[in-house]
Amino acid sequence: MKTMRITLAALTLAASGLNTAQAGVLWVGYGKSNQAKQGDVEGRGYDIEDYSKSFNTYSGSVFLNDAAGVSGYVDQNDDNDVIGYRGTLRVATHALEWERGWQKGQLEFEDQLFNYRSDFMKAGIFEYAEDAEGLEVGLVYHRKTKPTMLKADGATQSGAYLDDEKWIDPEMKYELYGFELRYDSVRNTMDKLVATGKSVSSADWYFSFTHIQGIGHIRTSKSVRNKPQSSDQYKGDEEWWGFLAAQGRYQFGLAYIKAAPGWALSLDAGVFADLSLPLGLHKDMFSKDKNVPQQERFSTGWEARAGLLF
């Protein structure tokens, strides 16, 4: 993967020629986060090698006028490789958004090593309601692929039971169709302080979140390893649909914000929890004795950020 170094100076140069004396025209930010391997490694039956858990995030936004602007971020891993990005185009109170991310490495399953690539994509249209106190609402499509272990429980193959039969799909696909709610408490407070046009400061606890709720879909890929070749109860690829699927991040921490006429500075640090709940999936669509693959339900980490608003 091509290595790329992006600095705050580069984000600032992207806005050259604009009148940055007006408050709220230009935003630049940097974040550092650390996240443990997702889920219970022993419980899911395999171990992921060379998994990046430390990330740098460079963000920026430019508003061309009160009704239009662009924003985005770039993620890097420990090796300074770009592993994700997001771009947003805002017109009036609406925004179109596209987000991508990826990781690759090796996983160990039953004393064998397999290559894997985890991809992430999200696309959506959002509404920024002026009277919603910073709450954003959108319709989104969320997709990711990642290693998953499957297990036959009571299935038969040529008259023999496969109770202990397990196989790995390095690129199982998870999809979510629904709506997203999100709220950035730090940025919302900063905007309010800048709007006063006075020299003020604030130090307080904050709570921010993103939450997607909708219909979930899981599908096996063509990269399944060690799968039974034939079975009376299992044939071909499988997929599952379900309701009440959810994906979210919930963050709590402490923030300091300093605002003055024409600019503002924010510093914040906190912990977060990522939650995935593919609830209501119908495993009876294919084999009643075939276990539906489960996502890693819960993981935690920490994040520290700094931002400037002009």
Side-chain angles (χ1 to χ4, degrees):
M1 185 180 300
K2 184 178 181 180
T3 300
M4 183 181 300
R5 168 62 73 180
I6 296 179
T7 65
L8 291 179
L11 290 172
T12 304
L13 289 174
S16 62
L18 295 176
N19 179 15
T20 56
Q22 179 183 350
V25 170
L26 174 66
W27 158 271
V28 291
Y30 169 75
K32 179 74 173 181
S33 62
N34 188 284
Q35 183 175 18
K37 291 183 179 181
Q38 294 186 350
D40 179 3
V41 173
E42 295 182 358
R44 66 189 180 187
Y46 59 88
D47 188 15
I48 293 181
E49 306 292 335
D50 51 22
Y51 178 88
S52 297
K53 63 178 182 178
S54 182
F55 307 95
N56 300 306
T57 301
Y58 303 90
S59 58
S61 64
V62 177
F63 282 88
L64 307 179
N65 52 50
D66 292 338
V70 293
S71 62
Y73 72 75
V74 174
D75 276 343
Q76 291 182 308
N77 60 14
D78 295 332
D79 298 323
N80 297 325
D81 294 327
V82 174
I83 58 171
Y85 62 85
R86 184 173 76 188
T88 303
L89 173 63
R90 178 175 175 178
V91 178
T93 60
H94 293 83
L96 293 175
E97 189 169 282
W98 175 267
E99 188 172 2
R100 287 276 286 116
W102 55 88
Q103 283 200 118
K104 62 181 180 179
Q106 286 188 324
L107 62 88
E108 182 178 356
F109 174 66
E110 296 186 343
D111 298 325
Q112 299 184 62
L113 292 177
F114 302 104
N115 293 324
Y116 79 92
R117 178 182 171 94
S118 293
D119 286 286
F120 166 81
M121 188 275 281
K122 187 178 73 173
I125 179 170
F126 287 84
E127 169 74 18
Y128 297 78
E130 296 181 358
D131 58 350
E133 295 295 326
L135 181 66
E136 303 169 8
V137 183
L139 295 175
V140 299
Y141 167 69
H142 178 283
R143 184 191 72 206
K144 61 182 176 182
T145 61
K146 62 180 182 177
T148 304
M149 185 189 73
L150 298 92
K151 181 176 182 291
D153 184 10
T156 59
Q157 177 180 326
S158 302
Y161 281 98
L162 302 177
D163 287 332
D164 298 326
E165 188 73 26
K166 299 178 183 178
W167 58 95
I168 193 78
D169 186 344
E171 300 176 0
M172 178 77 76
K173 179 186 291 186
Y174 296 83
E175 296 176 299
L176 204 165
Y177 305 81
F179 66 90
E180 178 174 354
L181 298 174
R182 63 189 186 192
Y183 177 72
D184 189 335
S185 176
V186 177
R187 183 62 187 271
N188 187 52
T189 301
M190 176 180 281
D191 290 339
K192 289 181 177 179
L193 294 180
V194 171
T196 65
K198 301 178 181 179
S199 295
V200 292
S201 61
S202 171
D204 203 353
W205 299 102
Y206 74 90
F207 176 71
S208 300
F209 67 89
T210 63
H211 181 87
I212 305 175
Q213 190 77 48
I215 298 175
H217 181 219
I218 301 178
R219 177 182 298 179
T220 57
S221 74
K222 297 180 180 179
S223 302
V224 176
R225 307 296 175 88
N226 296 351
K227 181 177 66 176
Q229 297 300 313
S230 63
S231 171
D232 299 333
Q233 296 176 333
Y234 174 78
K235 295 182 182 298
D237 296 331
E238 296 203 36
E239 62 179 358
W240 299 266
W241 286 92
F243 299 98
L244 302 179
Q247 177 79 34
R249 170 169 290 194
Y250 315 92
Q251 187 164 340
F252 176 78
L254 183 64
Y256 171 79
I257 301 173
K258 172 66 176 179
W263 66 273
L265 167 69
S266 68
L267 301 170
D268 63 83
V271 295
F272 62 81
D274 287 346
L275 184 67
S276 296
L277 292 176
L279 300 178
L281 290 167
H282 301 297
K283 65 180 180 179
D284 293 337
M285 290 180 62
F286 286 80
S287 168
K288 64 180 180 180
D289 296 318
K290 173 72 174 58
N291 287 355
V292 177
Q294 297 295 326
Q295 299 188 59
E296 292 86 355
R297 298 296 183 92
F298 184 78
S299 63
T300 60
W302 60 263
E303 182 178 39
R305 303 184 301 176
L308 280 171
L309 181 67
F310 298 97

